[in-house]
Amino acid sequence: MRRLAAVRPRLVSFARLHLRNQASAEDAVQDALEAAIEKDASFSGRSGYETWVFGILKHKILDLMRSQKRQGQWHPLEDENDDDAIDRQFQQNGRWRKEAHPCSWGEPEAVFENERFWQVFDACMIVLPDNLARVFSLRELMGLTTEQICQELAIKESNCWVILHRARLRLRACIEQGWLSGDCP
């Protein structure tokens, strides 16, 4: 139970990102936590406990999103037009501008085990526009394919790739600012 209480705030934040409604997010998390408690004996330890609970929540969220769509409560993503911000990252030949070149974050395994990194990541996910955070999360955190994302969100594949690219650029900039304090080694 203690483990569930510790992960609950991240679960709610994750669910709210996708469902766009606090009450629906709370319901999805409650259902996921209930399922985790009921199936606790079946947790085999092949993944982290938190990862396992997030997996349960992922399925609850997808079910609710499909239900919203069937009931006509679905709000499609708004297209975001900040192409200028993306274009400023690159030269005419398609290479990174020197000042926009990605910084080194250190050894990936060490970074991913650092609690401070995940605090910065969570904060950066919160400040992303809803459509960027939602598509990024579906792809990178929930593991859906672009085809599945397009089907769930009723968007075109080319739009999905643009949204993912924008989300990654914004996350990178935010994480570099919060994690590396804006300094590139």
Side-chain angles (χ1 to χ4, degrees):
M1 291 295 271
R2 235 186 205 156
R3 293 189 284 189
L4 293 175
V7 73
R8 189 178 189 291
R10 290 187 72 200
L11 294 170
V12 171
S13 180
F14 185 75
R16 189 176 42 240
L17 168 74
H18 292 285
L19 299 172
R20 299 179 179 189
N21 178 290
Q22 183 67 29
S24 295
E26 293 283 350
D27 289 346
V29 169
Q30 190 64 32
D31 290 347
L33 292 175
E34 188 176 305
I37 290 168
E38 289 174 3
K39 297 177 182 182
D40 192 58
S42 69
F43 175 65
S44 64
R46 287 181 289 170
S47 65
Y49 189 77
E50 186 173 325
T51 303
W52 180 69
V53 176
F54 264 93
I56 294 170
L57 178 60
K58 168 185 147 179
H59 295 288
K60 301 291 182 188
I61 290 171
L62 289 172
D63 289 344
L64 280 169
M65 288 170 64
R66 289 179 187 123
S67 174
Q68 285 177 346
K69 202 173 191 178
R70 281 191 304 273
Q71 296 171 3
Q73 299 171 340
W74 179 252
H75 302 290
L77 296 174
E78 297 171 13
D79 191 23
E80 185 178 299
N81 292 317
D82 64 350
D83 289 333
D84 291 339
I86 294 171
D87 290 341
R88 286 192 300 272
Q89 304 275 332
F90 301 96
Q91 300 173 22
Q92 287 287 359
N93 64 6
R95 295 183 185 268
W96 286 101
R97 291 194 183 281
K98 184 175 181 172
E99 62 276 5
H101 196 276
C103 297
S104 171
W105 293 5
E107 291 298 317
E109 292 83 15
V111 171
F112 287 156
E113 291 176 9
N114 187 305
E115 183 63 29
R116 172 79 176 118
F117 171 81
W118 291 110
Q119 290 170 350
V120 171
F121 178 84
D122 287 344
C124 290
M125 284 295 291
I126 289 168
V127 299
L128 274 181
D130 283 349
N131 64 331
L132 299 182
R134 194 176 208 185
V135 171
F136 178 85
S137 182
L138 287 170
R139 174 74 174 156
E140 304 300 341
L141 303 177
M142 294 176 73
L144 272 64
T145 65
T146 52
E147 183 179 329
Q148 291 169 320
I149 294 168
C150 293
Q151 185 177 4
E152 291 296 327
L153 302 180
I155 60 175
K156 294 179 180 171
E157 188 173 5
S158 60
N159 190 21
C160 182
W161 287 111
V162 168
I163 292 170
L164 282 169
H165 181 70
R166 290 176 180 168
R168 290 174 180 138
L169 285 176
R170 286 194 180 190
L171 274 173
R172 187 199 90 207
C174 180
I175 290 170
E176 285 177 355
Q177 187 174 32
W179 177 246
L180 301 172
S181 302
D183 301 326
C184 279

